[in-house]
Amino acid sequence: MRVALLAPAGAMHRYNGMFHKNLHYAPITLALLAAYLPDDDVVIYDETAEPIPLDLQADVVAITSITGTAERSYKYADYFRSRGIPVLMGGVHPTLMPEEAKEHADSVLVGLGDRTFKQAIEDVSKGCLKPFYRDEGGCPSIAGRPIPRKDLLKKDRYITLNTVECVRGCNHSCSFCAYPAAFGQHVLTRPVQDVIDEIKTFKGKFVIFPDVNLIADVNYAKELFTAMIPLKKWWFGLTTTAIGRCDDLIEIFEKSGCKGLLLGFESVNQETQSEINKNVNRVDDYKWLMDKLHEHNILVMGCFAFGSDEDGKDVFDRTAQLCLDAKIDLPRFSIITPFPGTSFYNELEAQGRITERNWALYDVEHVVYKPAQMTKAELLEGIERAWKTCYSWKAIFKRFDFKRVHRWLFIYMIANIGYRKYAKKFGDYDEAVMIDNSDIPDVT
């Protein structure tokens, strides 16, 4: 049976959009699902790397979707169903909105798809596909799973194929985050030896850990990265700002080859941290934390989200100035977005502040609700200004910590050049561009 696995992408992140290869690493989800079907003829189309062919031949199409890609995913699903091909849908958005997704799919996989996907494919082959498959396994192990089939990806469109999952889940409950709303707060860890064995199959020096919080289990993180030391890799991953209070773990990170971390700083307003339920962040410590990580030769992508009720019109310039003063290596800006199923969405809905219903605009770079202290236009203008301020050539060089991390200038410049291109094109992707899916035939 021929299975086609599809990952549609929003306009900003599509293969012909603005997200530069320098910033794009190989995804794991579909490659992992493919590995569960060793006897099937499987193809993967990741729309961030290549087009999804409308003439593809398959016995079943499976589509993964986040909220920002839901509208496009639905249109693809409608089109392939019109050709008589059964369609499965899964991912964060279908898990949050299963009944909505079912309007466009023959079956919806609710929850973590790697626990239900193989059964759904078997049922397709037997002609007994169920309308829903729900992950009701509680908190089982993720040990002993197959190595993802990254050979099925268009490898020349990613900066690296060396991505690996070791921690699934997060122990925080940020009010705006779709992950705990969809999958709960269970934290699962793969056996250290499983992770090390997979990394040993990688070619090249770099390793990316895309897990949402590598230090959700600190003891596990210490064990894993201690085991990585002999591999002599350079790795990048995501943690929270709590890493600053783990001196021994930072030492292990440095010895194991950590070259960069993504940290969700979120806001320069301490009040916002309480509002979004992310009290682990201490705004007054941001510069101290940057100095500390730089002393250990670790670069930082610092993420900020604009548009909370505490944000006044001065927040954009204040945030940009903090990025310069604290020497945040790779600032990334978004608009706090109320994803369906989250407490943030429910709160704004109750207040009558949700203004947009097209899911394509729920991409964290567009405004879908009424801000408290500014207009929608002011919020959009402010985030674009922050991008352009921090990615001017002058700002790029001012943010670089020549004293502490000068040996990583090449990595720093590659990433900053990628985001500079992103910043320059940011304003081109208005609402009309984002919701335009006219390249997919309309069959309704």
Side-chain angles (χ1 to χ4, degrees):
M1 185 168 66
R2 186 169 177 80
V3 181
L5 305 176
L6 312 183
M12 275 188 168
H13 299 92
R14 214 166 294 156
Y15 64 95
N16 58 355
M18 60 188 278
F19 208 62
H20 195 266
K21 174 183 173 179
N22 289 359
L23 311 174
H24 189 36
Y25 49 78
I28 294 176
T29 300
L30 295 186
L32 177 60
L33 295 185
Y36 284 103
L37 305 174
D39 299 325
D40 291 272
D41 184 6
V42 185
V43 294
I44 296 177
Y45 292 103
D46 171 15
E47 206 174 23
T48 67
E50 61 181 321
I52 293 175
L54 296 173
D55 61 350
L56 66 80
Q57 300 300 310
D59 297 301
V60 59
V61 165
I63 303 175
T64 185
S65 175
I66 58 175
T67 299
T69 64
E71 299 291 347
R72 189 166 181 82
S73 297
Y74 292 160
K75 197 164 185 184
Y76 272 124
D78 293 341
Y79 170 74
F80 288 116
R81 292 179 82 197
S82 76
R83 289 182 48 199
I85 304 174
V87 171
L88 314 179
M89 294 198 75
V92 175
H93 189 79
T95 293
L96 292 170
M97 306 287 285
E99 297 296 336
E100 176 190 277
K102 184 62 178 65
E103 295 176 10
H104 305 273
D106 296 279
S107 182
V108 178
L109 279 59
V110 181
L112 296 169
D114 55 346
R115 298 179 189 163
T116 55
F117 177 68
K118 188 175 182 180
Q119 184 62 55
I121 293 297
E122 290 176 358
D123 289 351
V124 170
S125 67
K126 296 174 183 177
C128 58
L129 186 66
K130 300 174 184 177
F132 296 95
Y133 291 82
R134 299 181 185 276
D135 168 26
E136 297 175 343
C139 190
S141 169
I142 54 173
R145 70 184 201 186
I147 293 177
R149 290 283 311 277
K150 303 221 188 83
D151 58 298
L152 299 175
L153 298 171
K154 193 173 180 62
K155 63 181 180 180
D156 61 336
R157 294 305 301 269
Y158 306 101
I159 193 169
T160 182
L161 293 179
N162 294 349
T163 50
V164 59
E165 181 185 41
C166 62
V167 178
R168 179 178 289 182
C170 183
N171 50 4
H172 294 283
S173 56
C174 303
S175 63
F176 62 88
C177 185
Y179 191 96
F183 306 122
Q185 290 180 260
H186 300 301
V187 175
L188 306 179
T189 56
R190 288 177 69 195
V192 167
Q193 195 58 51
D194 285 10
V195 179
I196 296 299
D197 288 345
E198 183 172 340
I199 292 173
K200 286 180 178 178
T201 70
F202 293 168
K203 297 179 180 179
K205 191 80 170 173
F206 292 96
V207 178
I208 305 287
F209 293 92
D211 310 334
V212 295
N213 183 6
L214 285 175
I215 61 172
D217 182 332
V218 172
N219 289 330
Y220 173 82
K222 291 178 181 179
E223 182 184 358
L224 172 62
F225 293 107
T226 296
M228 273 196 67
I229 293 173
L231 301 184
K232 299 186 183 303
K233 297 288 188 179
W234 290 358
W235 65 266
F236 304 82
L238 291 70
T239 77
T240 68
T241 58
I243 187 64
R245 297 187 285 278
C246 301
D247 289 347
D248 53 345
L249 186 54
I250 293 177
E251 294 281 354
I252 294 171
F253 275 17
E254 182 179 18
K255 291 177 182 178
S256 64
C258 180
K259 295 295 176 279
L261 294 174
L262 183 151
L263 302 178
F265 290 125
E266 313 307 354
S267 179
V268 295
N269 297 319
Q270 190 61 50
E271 298 82 4
T272 297
Q273 310 294 345
S274 298
E275 181 194 351
I276 64 177
N277 211 21
K278 198 164 186 180
N279 292 309
V280 66
N281 286 345
R282 296 288 184 269
V283 174
D284 291 342
D285 290 344
Y286 286 173
K287 188 177 185 306
W288 163 82
L289 177 57
M290 288 300 306
D291 288 342
K292 189 169 191 175
L293 292 174
H294 282 171
E295 287 171 359
H296 290 274
N297 298 298
I298 297 173
L299 303 174
V300 173
M301 174 186 282
C303 298
F304 295 88
F306 297 126
S308 72
D309 285 358
E310 289 74 30
D311 281 353
K313 297 176 188 178
D314 64 341
V315 70
F316 311 103
D317 295 333
R318 288 169 53 214
T319 303
Q321 190 61 51
L322 172 68
C323 293
L324 296 176
D325 293 343
K327 295 189 179 297
I328 295 177
D329 304 287
L330 203 66
R332 186 168 180 176
F333 306 111
S334 63
I335 293 171
I336 188 170
T337 299
F339 294 107
T342 64
S343 60
F344 185 44
Y345 183 95
N346 296 337
E347 177 184 344
L348 292 184
E349 181 76 290
Q351 296 171 2
R353 292 171 60 187
I354 302 291
T355 59
E356 298 289 350
R357 304 290 174 176
N358 190 308
W359 297 130
L361 298 175
Y362 283 66
D363 70 330
V364 305
E365 299 290 7
H366 292 82
V367 185
V368 298
Y369 62 97
K370 184 178 179 181
Q373 298 194 49
M374 66 189 85
T375 66
K376 172 182 174 179
E378 288 168 337
L379 181 47
L380 285 171
E381 188 279 331
I383 187 174
E384 184 175 2
R385 187 170 72 251
W387 274 112
K388 291 183 175 178
T389 297
C390 284
Y391 285 94
S392 68
W393 286 118
K394 180 179 179 180
I396 287 173
F397 284 103
K398 184 173 183 179
R399 285 189 285 102
F400 187 65
D401 191 342
F402 285 95
K403 179 180 178 181
R404 297 184 179 91
V405 291
H406 59 275
R407 69 184 69 179
W408 309 128
L409 179 59
F410 176 74
I411 296 175
Y412 176 91
M413 290 304 299
I414 287 291
N416 272 270
I417 288 171
Y419 268 115
R420 176 176 164 81
K421 293 179 179 179
Y422 186 99
K424 289 177 69 175
K425 294 182 179 180
F426 186 86
D428 296 342
Y429 286 79
D430 60 15
E431 292 179 5
V433 172
M434 295 303 299
I435 67 175
D436 181 11
N437 291 312
S438 60
D439 55 318
I440 307 171
D442 190 352
V443 296
T444 58

